[in-house]
Amino acid sequence: MAGLGGTLRLSSRLSQLAATSRIPLSTKNTFPTQSPALLGRLSSSAHQSQPLATKSSASQDLLIGPSCVTRLKEITKDDDKSFLRVIVEGGGCSGFQYKFDLDTTLQDDDRVFERDGVQVVIDETSLDFVRGSIIDYHSELIRAAFRVVDNPQAEGGCSCGASFAIKL
């Protein structure tokens, strides 16, 4: 039941945000995507001809970076049913935190995003907190992890990038 309490708090917070903030909680995409600067940062080479993200819908609600694709292919090579689930939960040092899991079961409110044969899945509520962001994979000496990059909904976050505060 501990998880249910967090879900109820998050749902309550979403209701407050919808009533008092400028954060769009609709499914319409309101963020410009595929700018030359954004494409330049995500391209593994200057001559990449593939689209930044291929998704189940025409909008660019969530983008999948090339390093995310590479890592997902590595860890799911023996299991073609697995996908990366992205969840936003209340908590962390900045108010909300990103959670990444491998999953095989779709829920009714899930949105599926695909690129180069890998899938990233996110529920509609979590999508409202990361709409217009990039899901990527970053590796450095002290850690390697999936992460949300360039979240237009985030005002700030912790230094490790695991949590964020939303724009009000």
Side-chain angles (χ1 to χ4, degrees), residues 32 116 126-127:
D116 298 335
S126 295
L127 181 59

Side-chain angles (χ1 to χ4, degrees), residues 1-161:
M1 274 305 214
L4 181 59
T7 302
L8 291 175
R9 284 191 302 273
L10 180 59
S11 178
S12 174
R13 179 73 176 135
L14 278 174
S15 298
Q16 291 172 347
L17 288 171
T20 62
S21 75
R22 296 183 310 252
I23 296 174
L25 296 177
S26 70
T27 57
K28 284 180 73 177
N29 182 20
T30 58
F31 302 100
T33 57
Q34 294 191 353
S35 68
L38 181 64
L39 286 171
R41 282 196 319 267
L42 289 177
S43 296
S44 57
S45 70
H47 304 294
Q48 185 177 13
S49 62
Q50 299 175 356
L52 186 59
T54 305
K55 304 183 341 170
S56 59
S57 66
S59 69
Q60 296 293 313
D61 288 337
L62 193 66
L63 305 172
I64 304 171
S67 62
C68 178
V69 171
T70 301
R71 183 62 181 144
L72 277 175
K73 283 183 176 182
E74 291 170 359
I75 63 178
T76 63
K77 66 181 175 187
D78 296 329
D79 182 8
D80 61 347
K81 292 181 176 36
S82 291
F83 52 82
L84 180 68
R85 177 172 295 282
V86 180
I87 302 167
V88 175
E89 298 179 324
C93 53
S94 298
F96 292 94
Q97 60 190 358
Y98 305 113
K99 182 178 175 188
F100 301 94
D101 288 319
L102 283 181
D103 199 349
T104 57
T105 306
L106 290 173
Q107 304 299 321
D108 290 339
D109 65 338
D110 283 342
R111 292 274 309 273
V112 178
F113 299 88
E114 292 185 293
R115 179 176 178 187
D116 298 335
V118 300
Q119 294 181 331
V120 174
V121 175
I122 187 167
D123 63 274
E124 285 288 343
T125 303
S126 295
L127 181 59
D128 288 333
F129 286 96
V130 298
R131 191 177 308 280
S133 300
I134 303 159
I135 305 299
D136 218 356
Y137 184 80
H138 183 73
S139 182
E140 55 188 290
L141 286 176
I142 60 172
R143 75 182 203 137
F146 291 101
R147 65 183 184 170
V148 176
V149 181
D150 295 334
N151 184 351
Q153 309 300 333
E155 180 172 70
C158 64
S159 61
C160 71

